[in-house]
Amino acid sequence: MAVARIIPNRYTDDPKAGAGFFNEVLGLETAMAMDFITIYRSAAQPMAQISILSEDPSGLRPAYSVGVDDVDAVHARAVEAGHEIVYALRDEPWGVRRFFVRDPLGDIANIVQNKD
């Protein structure tokens, strides 16, 4: 199992409101834009990303997302270690498989794998 990226999640009423700053000031490109989320990334370092959300469809607010290549294996290890699963492992309609786990610092982590 490998971690591909770790992305901070920021919340605001309008996830597109930061476009001028992220695109024009920082020079990031828009990697994904949906009603509830906009993801910006570096063209030079595509795994350098930030997610701006109005709200996660789960109703929860994960502090960060960890992209992995085997979400089922991470889920199994988290359960075995006794970590609190706060959003069950599932396939989402926008093409990811994910679950949320509470980390030892009390934050919620979105553990996600893109489906091919």
Side-chain angles (χ1 to χ4, degrees), residues 36-58:
F36 68 95
I37 185 172
T38 302
I39 299 176
Y40 300 97
R41 72 175 171 212
S42 165
Q45 298 290 330
M47 294 301 112
Q49 301 178 7
I50 186 168
S51 295
I52 310 299
L53 299 95
S54 58
E55 191 67 41
D56 189 276
S58 67

Side-chain angles (χ1 to χ4, degrees), residues 65-105:
S65 298
V66 180
V68 299
D69 66 357
D70 189 346
V71 71
D72 292 277
V74 177
H75 181 267
R77 286 201 312 266
V79 169
E80 183 178 324
H83 293 286
E84 177 188 4
I85 305 301
V86 296
Y87 186 74
L89 181 64
R90 68 188 73 202
D91 295 323
E92 299 287 13
W94 57 90
V96 301
R97 184 165 173 78
R98 70 181 185 156
F99 74 97
F100 296 173
V101 60
R102 190 166 312 278
D103 73 18
L105 303 176

